[in-house]
C-alpha cells in the first residue's frame, strides 16, 4: 500500500528532504510571475461596485497605474506604450491640431453679466466701509457656476500678489540670439524634392549638463571623487527643469512659430539628468546649438555660503499668540523660528527676498547652463529612424533617475558607482530644493510656510530622495498642442479600440448615479486574497487575448480550426 505524502505547513511534500523543499518556489511567487507575463497588474486595488437600481454588488480590480518597473512591471510597460503612442501621434503632423475654443452661449454670457453686477455691488459696499463677506461668498458661488457652465479659468485672471522679478537684461557672458516674427502655426517648414514629393522633417535633440570633473570612460564615475564638483552637480540637477523651460522659450523666439515638443528627462551614467526632445519642424543645427549655448537660468535665492545653525545649535520654534476673530496667519504659519543665542526672529522667506532685491550688487545663488555636447538629428516621418528614436525617448521611463540603467551590467554594483551615488545624495542633503525646504533654517532663514517640525537635512521633498537625485520635475514634458490630447484621452482611445475589436459596448456614457464605488480596505475581513484576484485577472486576460487573435485571424481570412490552440498561443 502506497503511503500518501503528508504536506508541510507551506504546502510542500514532507517526504522530500528539507534541502530540496527549500529550493521549491512559492506558489504565490509563481502566480505573480504568471501575472507579469500576461500583463496583469500585480498590485491591483480592489473596489466594490453597487448598482443602485438592482442592489447588485460586484468586485473589480483596478490597476495600480505606477510608472516604475520596480513596483509593477505590467503597469509601467502599459504607461510606456501610451507615451510611445502619444509621441508618435504628434511628431509629424501635417495639419494644425484643433484647439480653438467653442463660441460662448447665451447662458454663459448671462452669467458673466450677473457676475459683473455683483462685483460692482461688492465694490460699492467696500467703498462705503461695509462688510463684504456676504458679497465675497456670493461671488465665489457665481465663479463655481461659471466653471460648471463650461468655461475655463477665472474671470479675474492674473496673480493675487505681484510676481517678483529681477532685471531681464541678458548676462554679458551669454551670446545674443536672433528673433523672428512669430507665425500662428505649430508646423515646421516643408521641402519639395525634385520628383515632387513633399517632406516635412522634424528634429531629435539631446541636451546634457556640463562636466563636473573627469569621468572614467564607460563607468560614469569620477576619476578623482575628491575633486569632483558635487555641489554644482547637485544644484544643476535641482534647477534643471527651469533650464529646460528657458530653452523652450528661446527656441520659440528664434524659430518664429509655436514649436511643439515631446521631451523626456533621463539619467546618464554619471547620475546627471539630460534631455531628449522630439521637436515638430526643423531648424538649422547651428541655430539649435547656439540656442543651447545662450540658454541659462539664474536662481535668485538668498545666499547659502554661511552655515549659521548646525548640529544641536538649531533655531527654536516659538508659538504665536492667537489672532482671534477666526483670522489665520499667512501660509498657515502659527509661529516663528528664533536664534537660540540671541532670541531674535529669523527673517522670513519674503523678508530675505526683499533684502536680496534691495541689494543692487547682489549676484544669483546659482546659474545653470547646458554643456557643450548638443546632438541634433533630422528625422523624416515614417522612417525606421523615427521609430527607433521614439523607442529611445521612452527607453528609461520605467526607471527612477537613481536606478541602474542596465541591471545586468557587472559594473552596476561596482563599489565606485555606489560611492558616487552616496556622495551625490550627501551633496543634496543640505542643499535647499525650494522656498519651503527646511534646509533654509541652516542658513538663518525661515522657510516659506514654516512649521514646528522642520529640521535641516531632513527635507521630505522629492528632490532629496536617492531615487530622484535632485531632479523633482516631471519626467515627460509635452507641449499643449503636441497631439491636442492628454494622456488620459490617449488611454481612452486605446480602450475604445479594444472594445470595438471585441464587439463590446462602451459604458463610459452611463448614468453617473447608476453605480456607487467603494474601496475595499486592505485589512477588511471581506477582502479577496491577492492570489485569487491575480488568478482571475490572468484568466480574463487570456480569454480577451484569445478573442482578439480570433478576430484578427478572421479579418485576415485565415481559417480557425482549433480555438484552444489560439488560447495556448495567447
Amino acid at each position: 500500500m502506497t503511503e500518501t505524502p503528508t504536506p508541510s505547513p507551506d504546502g510542500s511534500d514532507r517526504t522530500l528532504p528539507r534541502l530540496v523543499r527549500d529550493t521549491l518556489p512559492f506558489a504565490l511567487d509563481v502566480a505573480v510571475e504568471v501575472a507579469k507575463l500576461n500583463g496583469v497588474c500585480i498590485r491591483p486595488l480592489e473596489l466594490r461596485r453597487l448598482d443602485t437600481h438592482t442592489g447588485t454588488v460586484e468586485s473589480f480590480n483596478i490597476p495600480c497605474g505606477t510608472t516604475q518597473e520596480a513596483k509593477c512591471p505590467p503597469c509601467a510597460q502599459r504607461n510606456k506604450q501610451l507615451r510611445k503612442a502619444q509621441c508618435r501621434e504628434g511628431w509629424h503632423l501635417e495639419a494644425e491640431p484643433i484647439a480653438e475654443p467653442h463660441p460662448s452661449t447665451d447662458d454663459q454670457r448671462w452669467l458673466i453679466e450677473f457676475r459683473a453686477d455683483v462685483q460692482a455691488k461688492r465694490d460699492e459696499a467696500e467703498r462705503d466701509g461695509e462688510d463684504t463677506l456676504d458679497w465675497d461668498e456670493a461671488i465665489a458661488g457665481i465663479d463655481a457656476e461659471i466653471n460648471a457652465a463650461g468655461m475655463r479659468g477665472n474671470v479675474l485672471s492674473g496673480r493675487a500678489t505681484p510676481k517678483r522679478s529681477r532685471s531681464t537684461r541678458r548676462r554679458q557672458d551669454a551670446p545674443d540670439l536672433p528673433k523672428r516674427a512669430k507665425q500662428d502655426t505649430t508646423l515646421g517648414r516643408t521641402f519639395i524634392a525634385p520628383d515632387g514629393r513633399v517632406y516635412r522633417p522634424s528634429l531629435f535633440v539631446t541636451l546634457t549638463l556640463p562636466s563636473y570633473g573627469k569621468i572614467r570612460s564607460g563607468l560614469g564615475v569620477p576619476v578623482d571623487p575628491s575633486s569632483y564638483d558635487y555641489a554644482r552637480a547637485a544644484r544643476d540637477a535641482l534647477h534643471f527643469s527651469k533650464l529646460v523651460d528657458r530653452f523652450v522659450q528661446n527656441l520659440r523666439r528664434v524659430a518664429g512659430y509655436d514649436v511643439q515638443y515631446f521631451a523626456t528627462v533621463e539619467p546618464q551614467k554619471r547620475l546627471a539628468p539630460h534631455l531628449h526632445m522630439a521637436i515638430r519642424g526643423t531648424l538649422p543645427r547651428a541655430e539649435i546649438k547656439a540656442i543651447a549655448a545662450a540658454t541659462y537660468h539664474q536662481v535668485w535665492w538668498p545666499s547659502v555660503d554661511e552655515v549659521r545653525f548646525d548640529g544641536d545649535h538649531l533655531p527654536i520654534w516659538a508659538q504665536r499668540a492667537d489672532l482671534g476673530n477666526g483670522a489665520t496667519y499667512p501660509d498657515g504659519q502659527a509661529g516663528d523660528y528664533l536664534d537660540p543665542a540671541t532670541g531674535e526672529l529669523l527673517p522670513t522667506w519674503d523678508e530675505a527676498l526683499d533684502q536680496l532685491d534691495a541689494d543692487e550688487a547682489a549676484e544669483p545663488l546659482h546659474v545653470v547652463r547646458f554643456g557643450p555636447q548638443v546632438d541634433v538629428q533630422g528625422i523624416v516621418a515614417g522612417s525606421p529612424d523615427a521609430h527607433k528614436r521614439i523607442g529611445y525617448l521612452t527607453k528609461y521611463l520605467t526607471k527612477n533617475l537613481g536606478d541602474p540603467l542596465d541591471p545586468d551590467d557587472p559594473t552596476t554594483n561596482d563599489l565606485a558607482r555606489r560611492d558616487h551615488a552616496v556622495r551625490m545624495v550627501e551633496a543634496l542633503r543640505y542643499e535647499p530644493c525650494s522656498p519651503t525646504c527646511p534646509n533654509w533654517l541652516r542658513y538663518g532663514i525661515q522657510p516659506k510656510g514654516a512649521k514646528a517640525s522642520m529640521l535641516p537635512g531632513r527635507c521630505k521633498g522629492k528632490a532629496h530622495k536617492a531615487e530622484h537625485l535632485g531632479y523633482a520635475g516631471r519626467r515627460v514634458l509635452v507641449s499643449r498642442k503636441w497631439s491636442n490630447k492628454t494622456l488620459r484621452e490617449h488611454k481612452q482611445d486605446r480602450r475604445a479600440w479594444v472594445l470595438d475589436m471585441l464587439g463590446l459596448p462602451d459604458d463610459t456614457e452611463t448614468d453617473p448615479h447608476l453605480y456607487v464605488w467603494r474601496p475595499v480596505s486592505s485589512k477588511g475581513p471581506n477582502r479577496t486574497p491577492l492570489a485569487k484576484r491575480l488568478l482571475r485577472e490572468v484568466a480574463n486576460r487570456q480569454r480577451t487575448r484569445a478573442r482578439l487573435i480570433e478576430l484578427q485571424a478572421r479579418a485576415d481570412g485565415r481559417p480557425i480550426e482549433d480555438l484552444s490552440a489560439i488560447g495556448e498561443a495567447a
Side-chain angles (χ1 to χ4, degrees), residues 47 52 58 86 107 136 138 147 162 279 285 340 351 373 379 384 472 537:
L47 298 181
T52 57
E58 296 181 87
Q86 186 181 31
D107 292 340
D136 291 335
N147 292 136
I279 299 175
R285 286 176 171 80
E351 291 172 347
Q373 294 183 353
I379 304 295
E537 292 301 317

Side-chain angles (χ1 to χ4, degrees), residues 271-322:
L271 304 182
H274 70 308
L275 184 77
H276 295 304
M277 178 177 283
I279 299 175
R280 187 189 305 158
T282 185
L283 288 172
R285 286 176 171 80
E287 286 192 356
I288 297 292
K289 293 181 178 181
I291 293 170
T295 297
Y296 62 89
H297 172 64
Q298 300 183 113
V299 183
W300 288 102
W301 281 357
S303 174
V304 295
D305 294 336
E306 179 186 357
V307 178
R308 292 188 55 190
F309 303 100
D310 194 13
D312 296 332
H313 181 66
L314 294 175
I316 300 173
W317 175 261
Q319 194 78 18
R320 295 184 193 174
D322 186 11

Side-chain angles (χ1 to χ4, degrees), residues 166 171 231-232 235-236 238-239 297-306 349 353 356 361-368 430-435 440 443 445:
R166 301 286 299 194
R171 294 179 61 92
R232 185 183 172 200
R235 291 181 182 177
D236 279 359
L238 287 169
H239 304 287
H297 172 64
Q298 300 183 113
V299 183
W300 288 102
W301 281 357
S303 174
V304 295
D305 294 336
E306 179 186 357
W349 173 256
L353 291 186
L356 186 64
E363 293 292 331
L365 172 67
H366 184 63
V367 180
V368 54
Y430 292 108
E431 193 69 35
C433 64
S434 68
W440 286 113
Y443 308 104
I445 298 172

Side-chain angles (χ1 to χ4, degrees), residues 7-143:
S8 63
D10 61 0
S12 59
D13 187 355
R14 282 183 177 273
T15 61
L16 296 175
R18 182 182 183 87
L19 183 61
V20 176
R21 290 203 309 268
D22 290 345
T23 61
L24 299 177
F26 285 101
L28 179 58
D29 292 342
V30 177
V32 171
E33 290 301 320
V34 171
K36 292 179 181 179
L37 294 175
N38 284 271
V40 173
C41 174
I42 62 174
R43 303 191 315 161
L45 307 176
E46 187 177 8
L47 298 181
R48 297 279 167 82
R49 188 183 73 177
L50 169 65
D51 190 323
T52 57
H53 290 180
T54 64
T56 306
V57 178
E58 296 181 87
S59 295
F60 289 87
N61 289 328
I62 307 300
C64 65
T66 183
T67 59
Q68 300 303 314
E69 193 173 25
K71 296 180 180 179
C72 180
C75 286
Q77 290 299 322
R78 194 175 298 114
N79 280 288
K80 181 177 178 179
Q81 293 302 321
L82 283 173
R83 288 298 188 183
K84 283 186 176 182
Q86 186 181 31
C87 181
R88 186 183 304 108
E89 188 167 329
W91 200 356
H92 299 93
L93 290 182
E94 297 183 357
E96 293 287 349
I98 301 174
E100 293 296 328
H102 299 298
S104 61
T105 63
D106 292 339
D107 292 340
Q108 291 172 344
R109 289 191 291 270
W110 181 87
L111 274 172
I112 297 298
E113 291 175 355
F114 182 49
R115 173 70 166 78
D117 183 56
V118 175
Q119 181 69 44
K121 293 180 179 179
R122 189 264 181 207
D123 294 342
E124 183 180 354
E126 185 178 24
R127 286 194 302 270
D128 295 341
E130 300 177 2
D131 185 13
T132 61
L133 181 60
D134 292 339
W135 289 112
D136 291 335
E137 292 179 354
I139 287 174
I142 298 172
D143 286 341

Side-chain angles (χ1 to χ4, degrees), residues 32 53 143 177 215-216 246 257 301 304 315 350 442 450 528:
V32 171
H53 290 180
D143 286 341
L177 292 171
I215 296 293
R216 295 183 189 177
R246 296 294 183 272
Y257 70 98
W301 281 357
V304 295
D350 288 332
R442 178 179 171 89
T528 308

